[in-house]
Amino acid sequence: MTEITDVVNVTVNVADTRISRAGFGVPLIFDEFASSIFADRVREYTTLDSVADDFPTTHKVYKAAAAIFSQSRVPERIKVGRKDAGDADITTALNTITDFDDDWYGLIATFKLKADIEEIAAWVETQSKIFMASSEDSDVITNVTTDVASSLKAAGYNRTAYQWHHEAGVDTTGYGIAGPGGV
């Protein structure tokens, strides 16, 4: 009988894909907004009140931060990363964000379109990050195989999770994140 080692040798090296201990529990909310809110590509927040200093309570970044800070296990800090309108694409924005500040682990994006979710997931797969995507794409709960959940599954990504929610995109100014303690 042929052994797998007779056919192929596989070496997996993840030594260069570590994340700092400090950044491990830090989520980054990723959205497109004006640089007039803050000039840097990433800003750190330790309270919901500090988020409110930059974003009105109706803004999807504020709503995402409120969901995070309302959990029973609250991270010590969160970060908000900005996609500029002038960025060529989402990948360019994410690369710029990580060049500026790579000390975060979980990516939460306010983007809901299939193409955007797929682009973010493809980028995350090359990073030491995880991504939680959500939408209310009705194709996800039908028998089609061209929906975003099917395409993410077919890609075999290990760093992206997807949830369908019937109100994920109802309020285009809002965003909810389910987690320990609820939304």
Side-chain angles (χ1 to χ4, degrees):
M1 174 170 211
T2 304
E3 297 290 324
I4 189 71
T5 55
D6 295 334
V7 178
V8 65
N9 264 334
V10 176
T11 303
V12 177
N13 182 356
V14 292
D16 62 344
T17 61
R18 288 190 230 161
I19 186 155
S20 74
R21 176 179 271 180
F24 184 71
V26 178
L28 178 123
I29 301 167
F30 176 51
D31 188 28
E32 182 171 351
F33 52 86
S35 61
S36 60
I37 293 177
F38 56 78
D40 294 330
R41 288 310 277 267
V42 177
R43 181 168 281 183
E44 183 174 296
Y45 299 93
T46 57
T47 66
L48 187 58
D49 287 341
S50 62
V51 175
D53 290 342
D54 291 334
F55 298 94
T57 59
T58 56
H59 197 282
K60 54 192 165 184
V61 168
Y62 177 89
K63 289 182 179 186
I68 293 169
F69 283 122
S70 71
Q71 297 179 97
S72 58
R73 292 185 180 173
V74 178
E76 290 180 18
R77 60 196 170 113
I78 67 168
K79 295 185 179 187
V80 174
R82 184 184 72 252
K83 177 185 182 301
D84 281 336
D87 288 334
D89 52 29
I90 286 173
T91 301
T92 300
L94 289 168
N95 285 332
T96 303
I97 286 168
T98 55
D99 287 346
F100 183 81
D101 182 350
D102 195 29
D103 198 21
W104 51 275
Y105 184 61
L107 177 62
I108 301 152
T110 62
F111 301 89
K112 302 295 185 191
L113 297 177
K114 178 183 177 192
D116 294 341
I117 291 170
E118 290 170 339
E119 184 177 356
I120 294 167
W123 179 85
V124 165
E125 196 66 16
T126 68
Q127 306 295 309
S128 295
K129 313 283 185 203
I130 59 171
F131 170 43
M132 179 61 204
S134 66
S135 78
E136 65 173 30
D137 179 356
S138 61
D139 287 344
V140 170
I141 57 173
T142 64
N143 289 327
V144 302
T145 57
T146 56
D147 63 279
V148 64
S150 296
S151 68
L152 292 173
K153 181 180 178 184
Y157 293 145
N158 293 316
R159 298 184 163 278
T160 297
Y162 175 83
Q163 74 174 2
W164 180 89
H165 191 280
H166 71 285
E167 293 185 356
V170 170
D171 175 2
T172 58
T173 64
Y175 188 75
I177 301 165
V183 179

